[in-house]
Amino acid sequence: MMIVTQSTIYILLLAANAVLLGAAVLAILRFQRRCRQIETFWTSPTGAAVSDEVSGAAPRDPAYDPQLERRVAELQSVVRTLARRSTEAAAPTPAALPLDKAVRMAKRGATVEQLMSTCGLNVGEARLMRKLHSGRRGAPHAA
C-alpha cells in the first residue's frame, strides 16, 4: 500500500490545474479564431447575399455597392412574389387559350388574316402578335 503525503496531493492538484488552464487557453484561442471566421463570412459578398437583414451601415468590404444591394433586394422580392403566384396559379382560363394559339400560329408564320379569323383578334392585335412572335422581323405583314 502506498502512502500519499500531503505534498504529493498538492503536486497532483497543481498539475491538474495546469492541465485545465492549458485546455481553457486552447478553447479560448479556438473560439476567437472561429469568431474571426464567422465575421469574415458575414462581411463578405456571399454573407451579405444570404443575409435577410438590411443594415443601414455599409459593410467594411471595399467591393460593397449600394445599387447592387438594392437590386438584389428587389430581385428577392420578385422571386418571393413569383413563388407565391406559382403556388396560387391554377389551370389557364379559357379566355387565355386563343392567345396561346395565336402565339403558336404566329411562330409558325401565320398571316394577319389567319390570326384574325382563327383566334378572333382585331387587326392591331394580329399585327402585334405577328411582329412579336414571328421569326421574320423584316417580313411584310398582310393587312
Side-chain angles (χ1 to χ4, degrees):
M1 180 143 264
M2 187 173 162
I3 299 177
V4 180
T5 64
Q6 193 173 8
S7 62
T8 307
I9 292 174
Y10 288 143
I11 292 173
L12 287 175
L13 285 175
L14 185 62
N17 282 334
V19 169
L20 289 174
L21 183 62
V25 168
L26 284 175
I28 290 171
L29 291 175
R30 289 181 70 196
F31 179 74
Q32 286 177 338
R33 186 180 70 206
R34 184 67 180 142
C35 286
R36 281 192 302 271
Q37 288 173 341
I38 290 171
E39 181 182 8
T40 303
F41 171 78
W42 285 111
T43 56
S44 73
T46 304
V50 298
S51 174
D52 287 338
E53 296 178 15
V54 179
S55 61
R60 288 178 263 163
D61 184 11
Y64 175 75
D65 184 5
Q67 291 177 342
L68 180 62
E69 190 74 26
R70 181 186 51 79
R71 183 68 179 137
V72 167
E74 289 173 6
L75 290 173
Q76 288 173 339
S77 172
V78 168
V79 167
R80 280 191 292 272
T81 303
L82 291 176
R84 196 175 320 116
R85 284 186 189 167
S86 69
T87 58
E88 298 169 357
T93 61
L97 293 177
L99 288 179
D100 293 339
K101 184 176 181 181
V103 168
R104 285 193 304 272
M105 288 177 64
K107 286 181 178 179
R108 290 188 206 130
T111 65
V112 172
E113 291 84 9
Q114 290 171 332
L115 291 172
M116 289 172 49
S117 64
T118 306
C119 302
L121 301 176
N122 65 33
V123 174
E125 292 169 337
R127 285 182 181 165
L128 179 62
M129 191 64 63
R130 188 169 151 84
K131 189 173 191 176
L132 290 174
H133 297 288
S134 72
R136 303 171 307 226
R137 296 287 179 212
H141 300 291

